[in-house]
């Protein structure tokens, strides 16, 4: 795993945006090579390279897997320092990606579930006798 990995994600359009006929027309993503191409209002086009690029069709589960978050959580459980953060302007999808709606969990609930599942496996195998967690 690299020291720093950067993923970009375009959130799905909201129901309100869809009802008004909005479309995502300024961003093109190429998940295979991690390229995001942005078309500015004045016609300028810029491309950026990322470790992973996810368009609106990528599910929360696929994003968690493809952006290597599962591997990062596993590395954290092995003692490595890991940080996953979401950055962007208001309304860009940070909360959607990190928390997700109640019926489609994002990164944080998936990571917490993974931690407790892996700890449970360690307890069942006898490698850990007991663990505690508090909030």
């Amino acid at each position: 795993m690299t020291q720093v990995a950067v993923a970009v994600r375009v959130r799905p359009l909201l129901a309100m945006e869809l009802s008004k006929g909005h479309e995502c027309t300024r961003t093109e993503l190429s998940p295979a090579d991690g390229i995001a191409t942005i078309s500015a209002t004045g016609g300028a086009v810029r491309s950026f390279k990322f470790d992973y690029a996810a368009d609106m069709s990528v599910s929360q589960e696929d994003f968690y897997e493809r952006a290597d978050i599962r591997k990062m959580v596993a590395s954290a459980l092995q003692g490595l320092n890991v940080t996953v953060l979401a950055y962007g302007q208001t309304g860009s999808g940070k909360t959607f990606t990190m928390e997700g709606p109640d019926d489609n969990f994002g990164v944080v609930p998936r990571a917490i579930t993974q931690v407790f599942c892996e700890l449970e496996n360690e307890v069942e195998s006898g490698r850990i006798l007991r663990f505690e967690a508090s909030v």
Side-chain angles (χ1 to χ4, degrees):
M1 189 179 326
T2 61
Q3 294 295 320
V4 175
V6 180
V8 63
R9 182 180 195 189
V10 176
R11 69 158 169 80
L13 294 174
L14 303 173
M16 175 190 67
E17 294 166 332
L18 291 170
S19 71
K20 292 181 179 180
H22 292 194
E23 296 177 338
C24 182
T25 57
R26 295 186 179 201
T27 306
E28 288 183 37
L29 297 173
S30 175
D33 56 13
I35 302 288
T37 303
I38 313 295
S39 301
T41 303
V45 176
R46 295 189 64 188
S47 293
F48 302 91
K49 175 90 171 104
F50 297 91
D51 295 292
Y52 174 65
D55 63 17
M56 292 184 286
S57 68
V58 173
S59 70
Q60 297 280 52
E61 182 177 0
D62 284 345
F63 182 78
Y64 190 79
E65 298 296 335
R66 293 184 195 173
D68 283 340
I69 297 167
R70 179 173 298 284
K71 290 179 185 176
M72 288 185 242
V73 171
S75 294
L77 290 170
Q78 296 299 315
L80 295 177
N81 293 322
V82 175
T83 301
V84 177
L85 65 92
Y87 178 81
Q89 69 186 43
T90 300
S92 63
K94 300 176 300 293
T95 302
F96 176 82
T97 296
M98 296 303 282
E99 295 179 13
D102 290 338
D103 61 343
N104 192 11
F105 293 135
V107 168
V108 173
R110 288 176 192 277
I112 291 169
T113 299
Q114 180 183 345
V115 165
F116 282 101
C117 285
E118 292 196 25
L119 286 172
E120 183 178 39
N121 291 339
E122 294 292 311
V123 169
E124 288 175 357
S125 70
R127 290 187 289 256
I128 294 178
L129 297 178
R130 187 183 103 169
F131 70 90
E132 292 181 31
S134 62
V135 178

